[in-house]
Amino acid sequence: MKNIDHHDEHDSPQYGTTERAAAMSRSTWTSVAVNVCLSTAQIATGIFGKSQGLVADGIHSLSDLVADFVVLLAGHHSKKDADEDHPYGHQRFETGASLALGLILLVVGLGMLWSAFLKLQSPETVPKVHTLALWVAGFALVSKELLFRYMLAVAHRVKSSLLVANAWHARSDAASSLVVALGIIGNLAGYPILDPIAASIVGFMVAKMGWEFGWEALNDLMDRAADDEEVQAIRRTLQETPGVIGVHDVNTRKMGDMIVVDAHIEVDAEITVEEGHDIAVEARKRVMQHHRVLNLMTHIDPWKRPDLDHAIEAS
């Protein structure tokens, strides 16, 4: 899965859950409208024009519809507030949806590969493609590329990895439409076998992207840490908090597109418990304001004094 590039964005304002869900809904419904039109045109024209590649591309567009509804479902559930059973909220619903999307793509891609393989077993049965198929493939290519650019822009604005996955799914459709167009051109030029070859390439692309999306989502579900650049940015914010002398043991785990953080902050050993608590509260406030952090749990250590938890670790 293509991850969001958070470079220079660690200290940017964060979108609320409601705003992110609304943006996801708008962009996804746009994708639904485009994919309904494209899948209908591609499959109908592919059958009429005898192009297996175009039919495969239409099925790919049809799988986008399933992916779009997975995104809409995830957006609806992930914006729910925290409850007794989910004290950190429902952000991981997005990650689960990304895993489902990856599995869908993997199954669709493998199905395309098998269909193309059967066709390649009997190359003499491959018919000549109608010219109309080439025009539809070209139209699909342009439409998918424009859709990709629109959805990726929205994904980066609201920082949604699920939307990034769906956007790159649209880009894979654009790439597959290009391959299909080249296959159709080859077929029309007197090389019929190029059409099912194009269909097999499309199937491989879809299966590969499905595997990547699913594997990334699975890693996130297993509490994968945030990238090192973002962890260092959080560490700097903690270190710059007035009263914090040192920071260590900063651990993170992803919660959908948000992060849960545990950190040890070192404060003057001579201050009161209340003063130490106030410093921890301010540190948490700063991190929550400047980073996509869902929750920060701080542990206060006395600066330059041996403390019990480290003594236990050492033993």
Side-chain angles (χ1 to χ4, degrees):
M1 181 190 305
K2 298 286 182 181
N3 292 323
I4 299 172
D5 180 10
H6 294 287
H7 182 62
D8 295 332
E9 293 182 359
H10 301 305
D11 296 327
S12 60
Q14 303 299 316
Y15 278 80
T17 305
T18 303
E19 290 85 350
R20 291 177 70 250
M24 289 173 65
S25 179
R26 284 193 301 271
S27 64
T28 304
W29 278 114
T30 301
S31 178
V32 167
V34 171
N35 287 317
V36 165
C37 296
L38 284 182
S39 60
T40 302
Q42 287 172 307
I43 294 174
T45 306
I47 294 173
F48 169 77
K50 300 178 180 179
S51 171
Q52 184 185 8
L54 192 59
V55 172
D57 205 24
I59 294 173
H60 190 188
S61 297
L62 195 61
S63 72
D64 277 359
L65 282 174
V66 178
D68 290 336
F69 283 111
V70 168
V71 172
L72 289 171
L73 182 65
H76 172 72
H77 285 279
S78 63
K79 68 181 179 181
K80 291 181 179 179
D81 294 330
D83 54 35
E84 186 175 347
D85 292 328
H86 303 86
Y88 291 105
H90 297 74
Q91 282 80 4
R92 273 193 176 161
F93 201 97
E94 284 191 27
T95 310
S98 293
L99 177 59
L101 173 56
L103 292 175
I104 290 169
L105 290 177
L106 182 60
V107 171
V108 169
L110 292 176
M112 289 180 182
L113 280 171
W114 179 248
S115 178
F117 174 75
L118 294 178
K119 205 74 173 178
L120 290 171
Q121 292 292 94
S122 305
E124 68 281 354
T125 63
V126 179
K128 185 175 180 179
V129 175
H130 195 282
T131 310
L132 179 62
L134 180 59
W135 287 99
V136 173
F139 175 75
L141 170 61
V142 174
S143 300
K144 282 293 183 179
E145 181 63 21
L146 292 175
L147 180 63
F148 160 73
R149 294 178 182 275
Y150 163 70
M151 293 182 71
L152 192 64
V154 174
H156 278 287
R157 192 176 75 245
V158 301
K159 299 182 180 178
S160 168
S161 60
L162 181 57
L163 265 187
V164 169
N166 212 27
W168 279 96
H169 188 188
R171 164 57 72 85
S172 75
D173 258 6
S176 68
S177 294
L178 175 61
V179 172
V180 168
L182 293 174
I184 293 174
I185 291 173
N187 182 289
L188 293 172
Y191 302 94
I193 197 66
L194 290 180
D195 185 54
I197 288 177
S200 65
I201 293 173
V202 171
F204 174 76
M205 292 167 59
V206 174
K208 179 177 180 293
M209 188 157 289
W211 170 262
E212 291 174 350
F213 287 172
W215 183 249
E216 290 289 323
L218 187 60
N219 273 282
D220 286 351
L221 287 172
M222 293 189 295
D223 283 344
R224 178 167 56 179
D227 62 89
D228 186 64
E229 182 184 4
E230 192 151 25
V231 174
Q232 292 306 317
I234 294 171
R235 182 188 292 272
R236 285 194 300 270
T237 301
L238 288 170
Q239 188 71 62
E240 292 167 1
T241 303
V244 174
I245 303 175
V247 177
H248 60 274
D249 292 351
V250 179
N251 298 313
T252 63
R253 61 184 186 274
K254 298 184 72 174
M255 182 72 67
D257 285 310
M258 303 295 283
I259 304 170
V260 177
V261 184
D262 302 314
H264 287 226
I265 60 175
E266 298 172 9
V267 300
D268 188 344
E270 302 297 331
I271 63 176
T272 64
V273 172
E274 183 178 4
E275 290 172 322
H277 171 265
D278 290 343
I279 292 172
V281 169
E282 179 61 22
R284 182 178 186 275
K285 177 182 176 182
R286 286 171 174 249
V287 169
M288 300 280 286
Q289 284 180 339
H290 294 89
H291 305 278
R292 55 191 188 111
V293 170
L294 184 65
N295 188 52
L296 168 65
M297 177 66 71
T298 55
H299 176 90
I300 300 176
D301 286 334
W303 184 57
K304 287 191 175 180
R305 290 278 186 91
D307 54 286
L308 185 59
D309 63 317
H310 285 84
I312 294 174
E313 290 175 7
S315 63

